[in-house]
Amino acid sequence: MPDLTYAYAQPSALTATPEGAALQLAAYAEYAPGAGAACFFQGQLRDSWLTARGLTTLAKIVASRFVPQSAALRDPIVTAGAGLLRFEAFSSCNGVYGRLDLGPAALDGEFLSSGTTNVDFNEPMVNALSRIARSEPVHLRVGQQAVTLERAAGHVTERKVALPERWVKGLTAVQGYLAEMEEKMVLTRVQAAQLVQSIPAGTARGDFFLVLRGPRPSFAPVGSAGAVRVGGVHRLRLLDGLLPLCEGVRVFATPDGQASAFVLALGGGQQFVLALSAAVNRGFSGEGNQLDTLLEELPAGWLAGANHLFRGNETFNPTLFGLAHDLAPATVARLCASLSAMGLLGFDLAENHYFYRRLPFKADRILKLNPRLKNARALLDAADDVQLVGLGAGGRTEARVRGTDVWHTVVVGGADAPRCTCPWFTGNQGQRGPCKHILAVQLRFL
């Protein structure tokens, strides 16, 4: 899928009005012209200075690049729904995810419509945010009408923004990791400030582990009971401006240590989330952590029905949803993974529920944005590319799969994790999701 180019009717800007400063975020939604409302929210920010600090941190994330050859992702996105505004962004290398949530207590205004849009975060607007005074009133308007998406018609003369495939792929992986995370520790306001001071100097080349030594948080190069693995710990310096301001921090991690997250309670209905991939050189878009769940296709009617329901409810707890509709947890997981593979779902750690992004319902994105799954299905199209070798004890299945000028041996099933002799599996050992050969064998024989 090629990049989609977006253009804005005018740049985002912070302007002076008789009532105070007005923050207008130029936006373009991924819909046809005229679809949806021109404005999602308009009103006052109750603590504009604190909100500006959060948006400035988000801008730092967008501008950061921890892998030199990575391309810029440019602008964040914003979702209005369920009485909240959620601003989301990735670092240019795609290994850091940030989100600023503004709840009802942070906003004094009106939600005119629910929606999701790509937001123009230009440099003059970011500079203006940094100059907002503590008591300065700021009016916020999100969803300003934008110019239509017409790259070849000659009508686009304003600043263009590309929407890469990995934007949606990154959102898919982050949601998958956040949904399985467990709370590991809670830090007080004082400990949050100490966390900034404890970040190791320089660029960390190996893993560090966040631990509590008495009441003080610190980072150790070796893990221990209760420690939280933090890959590329220097990336936490993105929170330098927010940690001293927050009321507390909740630290989360996946059971296998493949991702971590820091949820900052900023007070006044504001919350900031920072999620880190397992290593600096691992972008979320390449993780493949949802591939096992996406393996078995769901009926199109199920996906359309779930999309309609979630779109209307805007938030939902997966466990309660399954109980209410008499669905097995595995089925709910497959529904959520399928919709998140289209970019439609995010996950709120603090509330332990999903939230809906109003993006187009495009089921073909599931395969388009997951090439390993697409290639696995292609292997099954050839009659002899996936061959059974034998069945072993404990339900193990051994097969061989045709590669480029070589056959790969795959073992799946039973109590042990799947394995393959291909270079992808050898290099990653299953930590970034299964390879296409394992997926093909699972599709054929399990």
Side-chain angles (χ1 to χ4, degrees), residues 28-31 40 77-80 88 114-118 167 356-359:
Y28 193 90
E30 196 185 352
Y31 292 97
F40 301 146
I77 57 171
V78 60
T79 294
E88 300 175 276
S114 296
T116 298
T117 185
N118 208 37
W167 183 79
Y356 188 87
R357 300 187 192 93
R358 288 181 175 251
L359 296 173

Side-chain angles (χ1 to χ4, degrees), residues 245-262:
L245 304 176
C246 71
E247 297 180 346
V249 180
R250 298 169 65 187
V251 183
F252 295 80
T254 57
D256 58 4
Q258 294 303 302
S260 58
F262 296 77

Side-chain angles (χ1 to χ4, degrees), residues 279-295:
V280 170
N281 63 348
R282 284 175 56 171
F284 281 114
S285 58
E287 287 299 271
N289 56 321
Q290 296 278 63
L291 289 174
D292 284 322
T293 311
L294 292 170
L295 199 60

Side-chain angles (χ1 to χ4, degrees), residues 85-106:
L85 291 176
R86 303 180 190 268
F87 294 82
E88 300 175 276
F90 286 100
S91 61
S92 293
C93 55
N94 210 236
V96 180
Y97 165 82
R99 190 178 78 235
L100 174 66
D101 294 341
L102 303 180

Side-chain angles (χ1 to χ4, degrees), residues 15-24 43-45 48 135-140:
T15 57
T17 69
E19 294 78 22
L23 175 61
Q24 297 188 349
Q44 295 286 125
L45 295 172
S48 58
S135 58
E136 184 177 352
V138 174
H139 183 85
L140 176 66

Side-chain angles (χ1 to χ4, degrees), residues 104-161:
L107 304 167
D108 183 11
E110 180 182 8
F111 281 87
L112 304 175
S113 176
S114 296
T116 298
T117 185
N118 208 37
V119 177
D120 179 22
F121 237 42
N122 59 59
E123 187 173 350
M125 188 271 287
V126 173
N127 291 336
L129 285 172
S130 67
R131 295 193 295 268
I132 290 178
R134 284 184 177 271
S135 58
E136 184 177 352
V138 174
H139 183 85
L140 176 66
R141 176 182 172 90
V142 176
Q144 190 173 336
Q145 188 173 354
V147 174
T148 187
L149 173 64
E150 292 186 44
R151 291 176 293 173
H155 300 299
V156 177
T157 57
E158 303 297 329
R159 176 176 178 268
K160 299 176 183 178
V161 178

